[in-house]
Structures are given as C-alpha cells and as structure tokens.
Amino acid sequence: MIHSGDLPQRLCTPNEVKFYFSSLYDHDGDKNINLKTNINCNISSWGKGCDPGWACATDPVPDPRKHDSNSIPLRRRNCQACCEGFFCPRGLTCMLPCPLGSYCPRATANETTGLCDPYKYQITPNSSSTESCGGADMWADIQSTEEIFCPAGYYCPTTTKRDSCSSGHYCRLGSTAEEKCIIKGSCDENEDNENIVILGACIVGALCLLLLIIYNCSDKFLSIRERRKARSRENAIQLARQQVKAHEGWKAARQFARRHVNGMQSHLSRTFSRRKSFLQQVDPDNSSRRVQEAPLMGQDKTQEMSDSAVFAAESTTEITEVMPSVIVDVSDEGEVVAAKEKPVSKGKHRSTHTQVFKYAYGKIEKEKFQQQENKNLTFTGVIDMVKDQQEITRPLLKVEFRDLTLMLGKKKLLRSINGELRPGRVTAVMGPSGAGKTTFLNAVTGKVNGYKVTGSVLVNGKNVNIRSYKKIIGFVPQDDIVHGNLTVEENLWFSAKCRLSARMKHRDKVLIVERVIDSLDLQGIRNSLVGTVEKRGISGGQRKRVNVGIEMVMEPSLLILDEPTSGLDSSSSQLLLRALRHEALEGVNVCAVVHQPSYTLYNMFDDLILLAKGGLMVYNGPVKTVEDYFTSLGIHVSDRVNPPDHYIDILEGIVKPESGIKAKHLPVHWMLYNGYEVPSDMQDDLKEIGEQTPQICSSPSMSGSTPHCLPLRNAFTEERDRLEHHLSKPKDLSSRKTPGIFMQYKYYLGRVTKQRLREANLLAVDFLILGLAGICLGTIAKLSDKTFGMPGYIYTIIAVSLLCKIAALRSFSLERLQYFRERESGMSSLAYFLARDTIDHFSTVVKPIIYLSMFYYFNNPRSTMADNYIVLLALVYCVTGIGYTFAICFSPGSAQLCSALIPVVLTLLSTQKSTPMFLKRLCYSKWALEGFIIVNAKKYPGVWLITRCGLLFNNTFDIHNYKLCILILFVYGLFFRMVAFAAMILLKKR
C-alpha cells in the first residue's frame, strides 16, 4: 500500500526513462537481457527495489548539492511492490506506466512453479507471502514477450481491467475495445480474429466478372457514337448527291427554256415587225386597234412558252420524285439551294452532325461536278475555273537550294546540289540506291541534326531556317508511322485538329478531312482500325494512303513524301498521284521520292530531280524536256522502254550509252550546262571530258530558274552562319496559329482515352495478375505481431513495383516513332506527356484497390485498408514515374530488365543493417516499407513509447514520419516524371 503523496517519488524521472530504453539494445541492435548497472542497482548495492516488480521512493527534499539534472536520483527509501497499471523492471528502482492495451495486475505467487503469475519472474526467497511477488516487471515489448498484453479474445479498456469479447465481435492481442465482425455469424465468444477469406473470395469473383465485362464490352462504348455519326454522314451524302442531281435538272431545264425563249423572241419580233408595218399602211390613225390586235399576234409565242413551262414542270416533277425528302429553293441565278428546315426537337446532336456533313459533302459533290464539267471547257468555263483557283488561301513556298552539301564525318552524302522546288508542281526525286534521295528530302525540310551543312536553302528567296515554316510543311516518312489502335478517321482527325489553324471553323475542318478521305478512297475503311503487328487491320496499300492523308489534312504548303508509292499497285499509285496533283492545283509544293514508276505514273509528275551515286545532281527540270536533254548528250531511249528506268540503269552502270559517255561524268555535264561551279575534287572528271571550268554563267537551266554563280565565302563567316542557323531557335514564320498546349492536351486526352478503351484487355490482364499476386502474397506471408507484418509488406513492395513498372513501359516505349513524327511536325511534347500521364492516373488509383482487395482479406493486417491504400497509392505513383524514365531512356529490352531488377535490389538495400543510412534514404522502397510498418505499428499498444526513443527496428523507422513517407514517395514520383519529360525532349530519333 502506497502512502498518501508517495506516488510521485516512485515514478521514474526522464533520466531514468532514457536510461531504461537506451539499455534495451546494444550498439549492434541486439536485445539486452539485463539492464546496465546504475547508482541504485550494482554489485555493491542491490536493494529490494532492484528486484522485479518492486520500486522505491526518493527523498522528499533532495540535497541540491548532490542533485544533478542529468543523473539518476538515489532511491533506497520505502521500497514496496509495484502498483497495478505500472511495471517495475529488474535493475531499476522506479515505476513506469503500462501502455494502454496492456494488462498489468498485481502478481500472485504460484507455489507449484515458484513463479509470480501472470509474469515469469521468480518468487523472492526468504520473504513472506505478501512480499514474495510485486507488480509487473517488464514493459510491453511485443517483439520480446506477450506476457503483459491484453490477451487475444479479451479487451482491456484500462491496464487493470480485462473483459471477455462478446459474440459477433473479435478482440486481437492488446485490444482496448471490441471490433465488430463484418459477418456476425462468423465470430463466436472470445474470438481473437475474424475469418474474412470468404469475403475475399467473393471480391475475387466480382473482380473477375468486372474484368470479363471490360474485356468484352470495351469497344462498344466507342462503336455506339461511331454508328450515330455514320448514319448522319450517310444522310448527308445522299442529300448532297440529290441536291447536285436537282441542280443538274434545274440547270438543264433553264437552258432548255432559254433556248426556246430566245427562239420565240426572235420569231415574235419578226412577225410583230411585219404586222406593224401592215397596220401602219392600212390605218395609221387607228392606234387603239393596233393595241388590241397585238396580243392576238403573240398567241403562238405564248403557246410555245407554255410548252416550255410544261417541260420545266415535268422536269421538276421528275426531280421531286427522285428526292421526295429534299426541299430546295431556286435562287435568282438558277442555282439550287437547300431550304431552311424546321428545327427538330429530338436528336439534336445528330441534326448538328448532319448539318455539318451536309455542308462538307455539298462542297465535295459540287467540286466533283465542276471537275466533270471542266473536261470540255468553254471559254466561260475557263474563266470560272480561274476564279475558283484565285480562292487559294494557303501561303506559297518556293524552296531553292544553292551549292548544298551534306557531310557525315568525312563522307559527303550530298555534293553541290543546285535547283529549286516550285509551288503548284509535283516533283519526282529519282536515282539509284545510295544516291542520297532521303538525305536530300531531310536537307530540304531542315532535318540536318548531326550533319555538317554547307551551302544554303532559300525559302521564297530568303535565307531563313526552313524549320520556321514547320507548321505548314508536311513530311510523309517512308515507314507507315500511324497509330494502329485508332481508326483511319481518328488518325486523320487528330492530325487535323492539332495542326490546322485554331481559328478555322469546325465545319471547314470536317470538309478538309472528308475531302482527303474521298480523294484517297478511304471511305470504305474509315471506321476500321489501322492495325498493329499483333492485331490485323487494313491492308498495306491502305495504310500507306493513311500515312499520306495524315499530312494532307493539315493543308501543307510544302508536302514532302519519301517513297509514297512503294508497295502499291498501279491503280493505287495513280489514285495517290491524282490526290497529290489535286493538292498541287491548290498551290502546294509537292516533292516525292519514287522508285521505278510506270510510264503512266511518270508522266503524271511535273518536274524531275535525278540524282547519281554520291549525292550529285544529274537533272532538275520539267519531265517533258528530260529526254531532249539526254538526247543532246547522246543518250537515247529505245521504244517500249520506260525513260526513268533507262536513266537509272545508266547511273547504276548496268547499261552503257551508245555515245560512250560515262555515267560519272553526267553530274559534270549538268553543272556545265547550267553554269554551276564544278567542285575542286571533280576537276579530273572535267579534264576527262575535255572542258575547262567556266568563269561566267552560261545559258539558263532547264528548270526555268535564274542562273547564278556562287562566289567563295570566307570560312569564318560560313562557320558562324552555320552555328547561328542550328543553335538559334527558329521563329515561326508560317502565319498559322495552331491550337495551344491546353487545346492539344484536350485532343491528346481524347485520343489516349480511345486507345486505352481499345486496350482494355491488356488493362484487364494487368489487374488480374495484380489480384493474383495479392492472393498469393496475402496467403504466404502470414501476419506476425512481432514483425508488424514486415515480410508481407516487403513482398508487396517488390511485386507491386515490378508489375506497375512493366505496365508503365507501354505508355511511351510502344509509340516512340509516332511521338517523333508528331514532335517534328510542331505538336506539343508537354501536352503529349501530360495527357498520357493523366490517363495513367486511372490505373494508379485503381491498382492499389485491386491489390489490397486481395491481399488485405487474405492477410488481414491490423491497420485499416484506408491507411494501406494511401501508402500503396504513393508507391504506385512513384514507380510509375520510374517506369516512364526507363521507357524513354532505354530500349524496350533494357527497360524491362531494369524494371525487374531495381525493386529487388532497392528493397534488399533498405532492409539490411549494414547499408549506410544516406543510401537507405535514397531508396524509395525504404520509405514505402516505413509507411506500411508505421500504419500497422500505430495499432499496437505501447508502440508509441518505444518509437519515440527511435528504437523500432534498429533506429530505422520513426512512427512520426508517416506523412513524411507519403510526401517523399509522391515527390520521387514527380521528380522521375520531370526526368522522363526532359529525356523525352532531348531524345533523338535512332
């Protein structure tokens, strides 16, 4: 029994508490069996208070001369048993309060075992029954013992009271209150845990059903809208064709009526003149009679005009019968226009789509009708066609290249290229393999990074960087770089929305896209997926046309194509060339590399650029005069031989000209013919053909360009201009304001959403594997109170990191080539990155739920699902950013290898004692594991006391760092996203 006012003298001071906890572990982190010696308990002094379960009081008024604030006070007075609710360890003469969740009653002597129950220390020898046992002797260290915890199946609202757990509830070790069972019938009285495996199995079944629905119905969400648009489009097409047919009928009726009216007017005028002269001779004064007889004289005319009206009425009736649902009005000029329709209450969106498609297809059908009429042009038709051509709104780009030379190291890929590409013309670039055709196209479009460039490329006569016009330059690569998981129309529409002017009306964009689809004959496959290697889509020729259409829908002023006809049959090639010629009629400068064109296809080009091996030009001029030029050199084309094939065979050395001219001398002949300066390394070829280097410019070139002589430039000035050209950021000179980052972000967001819906099967597989991992790890890694569930969480970090990183690789590694093409065309890289990351946030949010719904119900940790979800959400966000970095910086194989090894290595480093602390803090797995341990440790009684002293898991974790752990994981995720974006900007095309 403690005397009144004696309790404060028995409680441990802060120095004694610090001494106790510092004695629990040694420097290596191992558990100490006995405490260190102190002033009260040592070899020479061992009082009653040093025994387990006993405590002594200090002096009421300590001597200030002997008192030290950093020392342990002297305790040898009035030693008694430890009070209930307190514990008194062996070797310490003061009392410490038992933490909440412990059960610390007074010990009772067990004569049979010689121990003090419920504790495990021995009875004090040679003592009375009342003094043989004291109170609790050990703090509630769950890693060492479970003796003074409130036992499982009971709950202890205080440290001195223990109650049985009632039916329908469960009480774990150290519970302070009853926990209600989810399924009441599954918990009996004194139940220590709830069996929720059945609930987990039900969730597994529900998840599998949900994934099955997503797998089978993902495409339905997009197909519903596409069917609505298709119906609107078909209605608009029919309406446009019927209007054109009506226009033709009205025009024919009007022309017929005009012919008959003109004929009757001339007949009436002659008849009326004769009648008038006759009346004047008979009765010149009877004017009233003449007026009365005049209508009678025009009865024949009226009858004939009525016949014309009947014919027009019959024509109108026929038109009405053909299109009974079409309401048309006739303008003063005789043109048929659609009458205003009454607003429809239902189907507002369909009506809106129909109106837009009516406008687009009305224009398209009108253009087709005009093209049909222009086949037999009259003088008036020519005037009308010229007026139509004056409506060109695209800026014209004329590209000139003067003494253009490209070097890669010491190898010259292009040498002394001179010539021009003119707007409104289609130019073919031909030559044998190794002639530098693709390099020439890259030089024209300014894609010369890594090359040493000499000479100049002029745009409209100005020496500016051609990349300043990239918004109105279209480049069609040789490979068909399109999105395979989008339809044909979606590929074209995305390019149009991002690259056309932001001020352009929506209906005009619809017109442009529909015109390209119609000109490239893509109507039948517009709603078909392009296809990938794994999933079959459209044919190769159709894919090639889609590749061209992506550049045509942005209305370029300069369109460069690298082998657009390769792999196409003759009819498809001619279809493509007709579309390109239509673009040229609108002022577009078209240049294409062509391999072995047919004679018909060859004659569809306006100009020809012929290159020899080594990047030398042999000819640049109109196609019509190429044979005349080579004939002047003694090179004749035999009958039934395709001219370009014959010339390329000569350049390859397969065919030798009858005139004896050598193929390597053809570039020199072209330079001499146009007055270009012959390079110094080609002077030997010049001597072989017996000519001298010209000092003045000779006759004009056959291309029609003005001849020029290129003076030598100072080397320093040339190098300075080259550095300024490549290092300075080009200004935008295209005069086209494309959508900004936010609008492009919106467009990218819509595109990525469609791609993810079509890839729902991959997402379902990811979720399924993640759920199976949760079941396996939750079953294998059983929860242990002594480790706070640490093994299960280590496996969780490794498994979730691996699976989420592998899934994150697909976001960027599979569309690397598509990104390069879009970036070079002027689209925003930031919008692209943010859109893909935003859509991936759906997986970031859902994947922790999928995993925890399996792991939690099979492992059943003490922490709540909400606490575990927050930590796992931060972990998934972090590793997804790391996956982005791997996908962008490494090849797919290397990225997968890093994604598999990094989680294992970092987790092992963060759990080893020998790992330096600074290295542990760099490992994201350390912070994730600390977060998981903390959310579980908070649920154990007494943990707050030991963790405040930094002793939980060998000074590795601190319970107060929970929010810091979450913050650091999110900061890591954001940091790696910034690294990934910077790498994407700096990444060069391999």
Side-chain angles (χ1 to χ4, degrees), residues 680-692:
S680 58
D681 56 349
M682 299 180 67
Q683 293 296 326
D684 294 337
D685 296 333
L686 186 63
K687 293 179 181 179
E688 290 182 11
I689 62 177
E691 296 285 346
Q692 298 295 328

Side-chain angles (χ1 to χ4, degrees), residues 51-52 54 113-116 119-125 132-134 137:
D51 292 336
W54 292 82
T113 60
L115 300 177
C116 295
Y119 313 111
K120 303 301 182 183
Y121 61 88
Q122 295 179 350
I123 299 174
T124 304
S132 59
C133 291
D137 71 323

Side-chain angles (χ1 to χ4, degrees), residues 178 237 270 310 323 342 410 518 590 710 726 780 940 985-986:
E178 294 179 313
I237 293 174
R270 291 194 298 270
V310 170
M323 39 170 251
K342 296 181 179 180
K410 296 183 178 181
D518 186 74
V590 182
L710 299 177
H726 292 288
I780 295 173
Y940 286 87
I985 295 296
L986 300 176

Side-chain angles (χ1 to χ4, degrees), residues 296-559:
L296 298 177
M297 291 183 292
Q299 287 181 355
D300 296 338
K301 170 64 179 175
T302 305
Q303 182 66 29
E304 293 182 4
M305 290 181 65
S306 65
D307 295 338
S308 301
V310 170
F311 174 81
E314 292 177 353
S315 301
T316 308
T317 304
E318 293 177 358
I319 296 169
T320 307
E321 292 175 355
V322 172
M323 39 170 251
S325 61
V326 181
I327 303 175
V328 295
D329 291 336
V330 184
S331 64
D332 296 337
E333 298 178 357
E335 294 185 357
V336 179
V337 295
K340 294 183 179 179
E341 299 179 0
K342 296 181 179 180
V344 183
S345 59
K346 294 183 179 180
K348 178 179 179 182
H349 294 287
R350 290 184 58 189
S351 177
T352 302
H353 285 307
T354 303
Q355 294 295 331
V356 173
F357 285 129
K358 278 172 56 179
Y359 169 78
Y361 280 99
K363 290 277 190 180
I364 293 173
E365 294 298 330
K366 182 180 178 181
E367 291 174 359
K368 289 182 179 179
F369 179 71
Q370 289 178 350
Q371 290 177 1
Q372 191 69 22
E373 284 188 337
N374 289 339
K375 290 183 178 179
N376 299 317
L377 286 178
T378 60
F379 178 75
T380 305
V382 173
I383 298 298
D384 293 338
M385 185 180 68
V386 172
K387 289 182 179 179
D388 293 337
Q389 289 181 351
Q390 289 177 352
E391 297 178 358
I392 295 176
T393 57
R394 304 189 196 183
L396 303 180
L397 289 185
K398 179 182 178 181
V399 182
E400 302 174 72
F401 27 94
R402 298 180 179 178
D403 199 22
L404 184 62
T405 301
L406 261 71
M407 297 180 62
L408 184 61
K410 296 183 178 181
K411 183 179 180 181
K412 292 184 178 181
L413 304 180
L414 292 178
R415 301 173 63 188
S416 301
I417 299 296
N418 294 277
E420 65 180 8
L421 301 175
R422 289 184 288 173
R425 301 182 68 84
V426 183
T427 304
V429 180
M430 301 182 190
S433 299
K437 299 182 292 296
T438 301
T439 305
F440 170 74
L441 296 185
N442 292 332
V444 170
T445 55
K447 301 177 182 179
V448 290
N449 292 331
Y451 296 95
K452 182 180 180 181
V453 184
T454 58
S456 59
V457 177
L458 307 181
V459 181
N460 292 337
K462 299 178 181 179
N463 190 5
V464 296
N465 191 343
I466 196 170
R467 299 298 296 166
S468 301
Y469 298 90
K470 65 180 180 180
K471 291 184 179 180
I472 55 175
I473 296 177
F475 183 85
V476 180
Q478 182 176 354
D479 299 326
D480 300 330
I481 303 175
V482 293
H483 293 276
N485 48 12
L486 295 178
T487 63
V488 172
E489 184 178 6
E490 288 168 353
N491 273 285
L492 300 180
W493 252 113
F494 180 79
S495 179
K497 288 189 293 186
C498 289
R499 302 174 66 183
L500 287 174
S501 175
R503 301 173 182 174
M504 182 178 291
K505 295 181 180 179
H506 176 67
R507 66 175 190 172
D508 294 328
K509 294 180 181 179
V510 173
L511 172 61
I512 293 171
V513 174
E514 296 298 330
R515 182 185 290 156
V516 171
I517 291 176
D518 186 74
S519 64
L520 294 177
D521 194 20
L522 299 174
Q523 284 283 7
I525 58 168
R526 64 185 305 152
N527 293 324
S528 301
L529 291 177
V530 174
T532 58
V533 178
E534 296 83 7
K535 189 175 182 180
R536 179 67 178 174
I538 60 179
S539 66
Q542 294 168 341
R543 189 183 180 96
K544 178 71 71 174
R545 280 179 276 160
V546 174
N547 189 29
V548 177
I550 289 176
E551 301 299 326
M552 289 177 59
V553 294
M554 51 82 64
E555 290 200 327
S557 296
L558 174 62
L559 182 58

